[in-house]
Amino acid sequence: MIAHESGVVNTADPLGGSYFVEKLTDEMERAAYEYFARIDELGGMVEAIRQNFPQREIADASFTYQTELNQRRRIVVGVNDFTLDDEEEIPTLRIDPALERKQMDRLGATRARRQGAEVERALGELKRAAADEGDNLMPRLIEAARARATEGEMIAALQEVFGTYTESPVF
């Protein structure tokens, strides 16, 4: 297990010093700078996002990782090797429908008690701050929460400014 997780078998003399760690660090640094250069070639990070570059890279890396796990070309201890045959499966969390109804009722009561004009003003300030690239959103988010705006309402306000995340963002 230690061999698979640490990579210690990937070097002839794992106790020979830090050269192996230095080599791995150098490789990681080189790869990072290559990535930065690719992003610069696209016109910077904002343009890379517009072209869906980070999203594609994440999706591709996730697919490759899962494929390697499934084909056992990548070993993850306890996931696809060195597992316990008699290990109990962790139960999936299921929310009781009664609890969900109770939470919906609490949300409705909060909306009924709050000052609608104050919520709208706070959400408007949040949108204004979001549109100003140099403005800090945190005070506006706190103000909206104190006015009893819901998380969903705050997200919707921000989506009006930034758009929604999709596989093909439109800017």
Side-chain angles (χ1 to χ4, degrees), residues 31-45 48 51 53 56-57 60:
Y33 279 113
E34 286 176 6
Y35 235 83
F36 299 153
R38 287 174 65 191
I39 291 168
D40 286 343
E41 288 171 11
L42 292 171
M45 193 61 190
Q51 294 180 29
F53 176 74
R56 268 194 324 273
E57 290 293 300
D60 290 348

